[in-house]
Amino acid sequence: MLPKRHYVLFVARNDDGGIMKISLPLYYVYGFLGAALVGAFTIVGLVGSYTRMLLKTEEFNQLRQENWSLRKNYRQVVEVAHDRDVQAASLGALASEVTALYGLGRNKVASVGARSSSSTAPTPAALTITDNVSQQDAMLFIAQFRALRSEALSGQVTRALEGGLSPSFVGDWKEFANAPTLWPLEGRITSGFGVRLDPMNGEGTFHTGIDIAAPYGSPVRAGGDGEVTAAQLGSGYGQSVELDHGHNMMTLYAHLSAIAVLPGQHVIRGQVIGYVGQSGRATGPHLHYEVRVNDIPVNPLAYLRTTYEKLWSKGGGTPTASGD
């Protein structure tokens, strides 16, 4: 009978030099080797899993970076598209104004021709003066007379004529009465209406108004009679005031240092509504001034006619009405 195979481990003692023999059965060695192999495979598996996790994490970070870049590019495309839409709408509004002016010229020529022809033609019998006026017609004439008298006493006709209205105008002259024809403040125009380079990031953008440079704290006045629809603090415009002048026309005064009116308040032309500042996205103290028709930005220079000093010299305002 063969003896069982085993390994002998000799351990030398330090004190007396004696040797102690320890026998290790072979299956112990096999068990130890098996456990070592299992541990090695386990470590290799863990290392592989950790490596795959690192690769997936790197791929996820790369996808997240690409997603962020796509979002940024999308926002830029949306902003460019919005600027193009605003520019197209403004050009459309300008074309409408040119068309209206052309039609106005044709109406003037037609009216002059009609007056010249009517002055030479004999009066028809149907247009002779008669005393047969009904009570209803008389009441209508009286109502029209009172309306015209009220409008004349209100000064709207005078303001319309000062705003550039011709006496032969055949359109709605009331639109010119409250139109923002007054410069909100006197100063140098540092940026005009239209395409420009953004002073903050240097990229091309569409400027929806004009920038007027003035000392910090200079009074900003309403360009025309209207109602305050907004007086608030925004992220881009900073402290701003919006005025509704009727006839789908409004003005915006932005980057103010302080606001002097409240929402819902009625203001008159020349009244102080705020003060020049540098709030919002601004590189220096100035006023950003917009004119919008049907919520479409148009060139404010097409409406500006006079300054507050000229208006005051003509007796068009009073110190108490100006809000000072």
Side-chain angles (χ1 to χ4, degrees):
M1 181 177 180
L2 295 175
K4 294 182 180 180
R5 298 179 59 186
H6 60 275
Y7 291 90
V8 177
L9 179 63
F10 294 93
V11 179
R13 301 182 63 178
N14 295 330
D15 296 338
D16 53 2
I19 298 176
M20 182 177 64
K21 182 177 68 173
I22 301 176
S23 299
L24 293 176
L26 187 60
Y27 60 85
Y28 280 8
V29 177
Y30 290 157
F32 176 77
L33 293 176
L37 290 176
V38 172
F41 282 118
T42 303
I43 293 175
V44 171
L46 292 176
V47 171
S49 299
Y50 182 73
T51 303
R52 289 193 297 271
M53 183 182 67
L54 290 179
L55 293 176
K56 290 182 178 180
T57 303
E58 184 179 358
E59 183 180 0
F60 173 77
N61 292 332
Q62 184 177 1
L63 292 176
R64 184 171 60 179
Q65 183 69 21
E66 293 178 356
N67 185 21
W68 182 83
S69 300
L70 290 175
R71 287 177 179 269
K72 182 180 179 180
N73 294 333
Y74 175 76
R75 286 195 297 267
Q76 292 178 352
V77 170
V78 171
E79 291 177 358
V80 171
H82 176 71
D83 292 342
R84 295 294 180 269
D85 292 340
V86 172
Q87 185 177 6
S90 300
L91 292 176
L94 179 61
S96 300
E97 292 179 2
V98 173
T99 304
L101 292 176
Y102 176 71
L104 175 60
R106 295 182 59 185
N107 291 334
K108 288 182 179 179
V109 174
S111 62
V112 172
R115 285 197 300 269
S116 61
S117 61
S118 62
S119 61
T120 57
T123 303
L127 298 179
T128 57
I129 300 177
T130 177
D131 294 333
N132 298 328
V133 180
S134 64
Q135 183 178 2
Q136 183 178 2
D137 293 337
M139 295 297 296
L140 179 60
F141 294 153
I142 293 174
Q144 292 178 351
F145 169 75
R146 290 177 177 176
L148 291 175
R149 184 181 63 177
S150 176
E151 293 172 352
L153 293 177
S154 66
Q156 289 183 330
V157 177
T158 302
R159 291 198 298 270
L161 293 175
E162 291 177 352
L165 176 65
S166 173
S168 59
F169 181 67
V170 295
D172 186 6
W173 60 267
K174 293 182 179 179
E175 181 176 350
F176 287 85
N178 296 333
T181 58
L182 181 71
W183 282 82
L185 80 162
E186 294 189 29
R188 181 172 59 91
I189 297 180
T190 57
S191 182
F193 179 84
V195 179
R196 67 164 186 177
L197 292 179
D198 193 312
M200 305 297 291
N201 52 30
E203 297 180 355
T205 183
F206 188 80
H207 194 214
T208 55
I210 61 175
D211 292 341
I212 306 175
Y216 192 92
S218 300
V220 177
R221 303 181 183 274
D225 295 1
E227 182 178 346
V228 181
T229 56
Q232 59 190 0
L233 175 63
S235 58
Y237 286 136
Q239 297 194 77
S240 61
V241 174
E242 294 183 4
L243 299 183
D244 184 4
H245 304 279
H247 302 278
N248 296 321
M249 181 178 293
M250 60 89 61
T251 53
L252 171 68
Y253 312 78
H255 305 309
L256 303 175
S257 61
I259 298 175
V261 291
L262 297 174
Q265 178 180 348
H266 181 78
V267 298
I268 63 175
R269 183 170 55 168
Q271 179 175 343
V272 175
I273 60 176
Y275 300 91
V276 174
Q278 194 178 344
S279 58
R281 295 181 73 252
T283 57
H286 72 282
L287 172 69
H288 174 81
Y289 177 64
E290 290 187 17
V291 176
R292 297 178 182 176
V293 179
N294 294 321
D295 203 24
I296 298 175
V298 297
N299 193 345
L301 297 179
Y303 294 90
L304 299 176
R305 295 289 186 273
T306 184
T307 62
Y308 179 73
E309 284 71 15
K310 293 181 180 179
L311 179 67
W312 171 244
S313 64
K314 294 179 180 180
T318 60
T320 56
S322 65
D324 286 346

